[in-house]
């Protein structure tokens, strides 16, 4: 049981919470981070398979970072990690059509593309759904056959009703940095580096936020309480809603409106020679039980290959997921050396989201309470950090 007082308390040790803590540390503050689970990084979750040749990592959640991730790169720079970035192989994504693995261009209808070409210069993303915007841009058939499934794979959920401007926001690139990269042991290396020197209590789920003497009184599930001048919630919207229900009921009910998508992620390790699957960046599912497959081929390591399948929720049991995985890899069950599964969640953003967030921000104005995460600008790691940086500047200045 804890009872203490801090200046800045951050709830959640995903990249948003850790990023905010690092920004605070940069300004000479000593933030306290509380994390419900024993894992640091939230949706960044690198698994280490044990093999006789040493650990072999695979990403169960976030997997790719780009040189347009300015806030992340700043965090990596200040934690001495910029020179550790690992390049990725130049491999292509393929698309799984039933039992066939096809190239993406082979599925495109080029006549339809030619017909819609003039629209490339006229289309506006604002106020339009992904289906509407991209469907007009590349044609309805091409959207249904190729781009729709590819975008579902990007956000690991049906993307059609996402606001078009929540995907692929233009951000400046740092040309001197690798275009796409990971860490020496996957993205978890970045998390570990960013978390160094921060005060983090894991397995400490927060239960409720109330008004306190100094600012807020934060109640923990173990009965402990922490007084904080300023609090930042870096958790999913439904979790933030629960924590704020008594303190700000109308804000909580607006946050309740934001849906969350469930993803059943399942990673397998096989010996390199056991599957004939060509080397791929990943696989896009087309009307399949999975949205996508993320491959370790991008960062090859002799002897083994690993694949993480991101399945639609509630369709297959753990065993039938393995059966589908074996079909796609073209192997028997006995070829699976090891497997691990994890339930992931991501926000399912919808049209009108920007207005909701503007309303949320008006409620937070002038309060020493911050809200951040992957449900503001967009769902990527950098989108989360862009929001985090904005909230940090508002709270701390
Ligand atoms: C399968 C998948 C693939 C992805 N691929 C990519 C990719 O390639 N590139 C990319 O840029 N992005 C990717 N993303 C998105 C990106 O990884 C996430 O959006 C980002 O990591 C979210 O960070 P966050 O800190 O905002 O939230 P989270 O990572 O969800 O962190 C929230 C944290 O809060 C903790 N928490 C919850 N409740 C409490 C409580 N009551 N008290 C204390 N702590 C609590 C949770 O345990 C968690 O650690 C992917 C996501 C998934 C799921």
């Amino acid at each position: 049981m804890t009872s203490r007082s801090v200046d800045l308390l951050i709830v959640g040790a995903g990249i948003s919470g850790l990023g905010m803590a690092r920004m605070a540390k940069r300004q000479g503050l000593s933030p306290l981070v509380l994390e419900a689970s024993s894992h640091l990084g939230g949706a960044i979750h690198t698994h280490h398979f044990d093999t006789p040749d040493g650990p072999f990592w695979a990403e169960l959640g976030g997997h790719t970072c780009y040189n347009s991730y300015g806030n992340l790169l700043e965090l990596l720079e200040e934690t001495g990690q910029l020179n550790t970035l690992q390049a990725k192989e130049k491999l292509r994504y393929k698309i799984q059509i039933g039992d066939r693995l096809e190239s993406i261009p082979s599925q495109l209808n080029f006549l339809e593309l030619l017909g819609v070409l003039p629209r490339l210069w006229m289309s506006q993303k604002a106020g339009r759904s992904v289906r509407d915007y991209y469907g007009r841009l590349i044609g309805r058939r091409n959207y249904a056959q190729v781009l729709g499934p590819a975008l579902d794979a990007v956000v690991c959920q049906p993307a059609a009703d996402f606001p078009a401007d929540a995907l692929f926001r233009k951000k400046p690139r740092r040309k001197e940095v690798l275009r796409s990269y990971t860490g020496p042991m996957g993205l978890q290396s970045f998390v570990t580096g960013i978390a160094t020197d921060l005060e983090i209590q894991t397995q400490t789920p927060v239960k409720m936020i109330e008004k306190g003497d100094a600012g807020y009184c934060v109640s923990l599930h173990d009965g402990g309480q922490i007084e904080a001048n300023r609090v930042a919630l870096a958790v999913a919207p439904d979790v933030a809603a629960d924590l704020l229900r008594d303190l700000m009921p109308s804000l909580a009910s607006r946050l309740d409106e934001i849906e969350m998508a469930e993803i059943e992620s399942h990673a397998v390790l096989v010996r390199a020679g056991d599957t004939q699957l060509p080397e791929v960046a990943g696989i896009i599912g087309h009307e399949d039980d999975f949205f996508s497959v993320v491959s370790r081929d991008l960062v090859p390591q002799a002897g083994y290959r690993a694949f993480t399948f991101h399945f639609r929720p509630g369709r297959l049991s753990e065993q039938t997921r393995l059966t589908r995985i074996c079909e796609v890899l073209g192997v028997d069950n006995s070829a699976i050396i090891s497997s691990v599964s994890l339930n992931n969640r991501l926000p399912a953003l919808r049209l009108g989201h920007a207005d909701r967030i503007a309303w949320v921000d008006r409620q937070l104005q002038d309060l020493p309470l911050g809200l951040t995460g992957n449900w503001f600008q967009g769902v990527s790691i950098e989108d989360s950090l862009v929001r985090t940086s904005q909230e940090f500047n508002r709270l701390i200045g």
Side-chain angles (χ1 to χ4, degrees):
M1 202 187 290
T2 328
S3 188
R4 59 183 280 200
S5 162
V6 297
D7 183 19
L8 174 63
L9 180 90
I10 298 165
V11 183
I15 195 64
S16 300
L18 294 174
M20 168 113 29
R22 201 80 245 163
M23 290 169 198
K25 194 99 177 160
R26 207 184 280 164
Q27 301 261 341
L29 303 180
S30 303
L32 170 65
V33 183
L34 302 181
E35 165 56 44
S37 71
S38 55
H39 162 78
L40 295 186
I44 297 176
H45 198 133
T46 312
H47 178 74
H48 293 126
F49 288 111
D50 280 331
T51 82
D53 307 312
F56 188 97
W57 60 264
E59 300 292 5
L60 299 183
H63 47 93
T64 303
C65 296
Y66 300 95
N67 62 1
S68 57
Y69 284 17
N71 286 278
L72 177 71
L73 289 169
E74 207 175 325
L75 295 173
L76 297 180
E77 206 153 23
E78 90 182 69
T79 52
Q81 301 187 78
L82 209 50
N83 59 355
T84 69
L85 307 191
Q86 304 294 303
K88 294 192 156 188
E89 296 284 305
K90 288 195 170 39
L91 293 174
R92 295 194 185 285
Y93 272 83
K94 302 246 179 200
I95 188 160
Q96 184 80 29
I97 313 269
D99 58 1
R100 289 174 296 122
L101 195 62
E102 302 283 359
S103 75
I104 292 177
S106 73
Q107 299 305 299
L108 282 169
N109 181 320
F110 287 93
L111 265 183
E112 188 182 32
L113 265 185
L114 274 179
V116 294
L117 215 53
R119 291 188 202 148
L120 272 178
W121 288 273
M122 298 191 311
S123 281
Q124 285 280 338
K125 276 185 172 178
R128 301 177 53 193
S129 70
V130 160
R131 182 199 286 112
D132 180 26
Y133 174 76
Y134 288 102
R136 276 175 60 85
L137 204 63
I138 72 157
R140 302 284 162 204
R141 186 203 161 277
N142 280 327
Y143 178 83
Q145 277 302 111
V146 185
L147 191 59
L151 296 176
D152 293 356
V154 169
V155 289
C156 285
Q157 58 183 291
D161 295 328
F162 251 64
D165 55 8
L167 290 187
F168 312 124
R169 275 177 195 273
K170 250 197 153 58
K171 302 175 187 90
R173 292 190 176 276
R174 277 182 60 171
K175 298 261 170 63
E176 83 283 10
V177 173
L178 291 166
R179 194 180 160 83
S180 100
Y181 53 85
T182 183
M185 290 297 276
L187 295 188
Q188 202 70 44
S189 307
F190 295 162
V191 169
T192 307
I194 291 169
T196 307
D197 295 342
L198 296 175
E199 189 184 358
I200 304 168
Q201 287 180 20
T202 53
Q203 295 180 293
T204 310
V206 169
K207 191 174 168 195
M208 192 173 33
I209 320 278
E210 293 165 291
K211 203 90 204 87
D213 297 336
Y216 297 103
C217 176
V218 175
S219 305
L220 311 181
H221 272 277
D222 68 3
Q225 290 196 321
I226 298 178
E227 290 280 337
N229 297 335
R230 295 171 271 204
V231 171
L233 303 184
V235 292
D238 53 345
V239 177
D242 282 345
L243 297 182
L244 295 173
R245 202 157 309 280
D246 288 352
L247 182 71
M248 302 178 77
S250 50
L251 176 65
S253 59
R254 274 323 280 275
L255 300 186
D256 282 333
E257 293 168 7
I258 304 170
E259 294 168 43
M260 292 297 290
E262 312 279 332
I263 305 131
E264 295 174 357
S265 303
H266 202 128
V268 295
L269 177 76
V270 294
R271 282 202 183 277
D274 282 356
T275 170
Q276 298 310 307
L277 191 82
E279 290 194 343
V280 283
I283 301 174
I284 295 161
H286 180 265
E287 294 175 7
D288 212 310
D289 292 319
F290 57 86
F291 293 112
S292 64
V293 183
V294 174
S295 157
R296 244 306 292 272
D297 294 346
L298 287 166
V299 195
Q301 190 176 325
Y304 300 91
R305 296 175 73 185
F307 303 90
T308 304
F309 284 66
H310 296 295
F311 283 99
R312 294 171 195 271
R315 280 207 184 178
L316 303 181
S317 66
E318 185 128 355
Q319 192 47 51
T320 46
R321 288 198 317 238
L322 264 179
T323 307
R324 183 68 188 128
I325 290 172
C326 287
E327 283 168 2
V328 173
L329 300 185
V331 298
D332 286 342
N333 232 311
S334 59
I336 307 292
I337 303 171
S338 185
S339 79
V340 59
S341 57
L342 179 80
N343 288 338
N344 274 306
R345 296 193 328 139
L346 277 175
L349 304 183
R350 296 290 176 257
L351 281 183
H353 187 69
D355 293 340
R356 184 181 297 116
I357 293 306
W359 184 91
V360 165
D361 283 344
R362 284 197 294 277
Q363 312 310 302
L364 295 175
Q365 218 172 17
D366 303 326
L367 291 180
L369 173 70
L371 284 181
T372 184
N374 55 4
W375 43 281
F376 292 87
Q377 316 272 334
V379 300
S380 78
I381 291 168
E382 182 62 13
D383 290 329
S384 312
L385 288 172
V386 167
R387 170 67 185 189
T388 299
S389 166
Q390 286 167 355
E391 275 301 75
F392 177 75
N393 288 331
R394 184 180 67 80
L395 279 182
I396 313 292

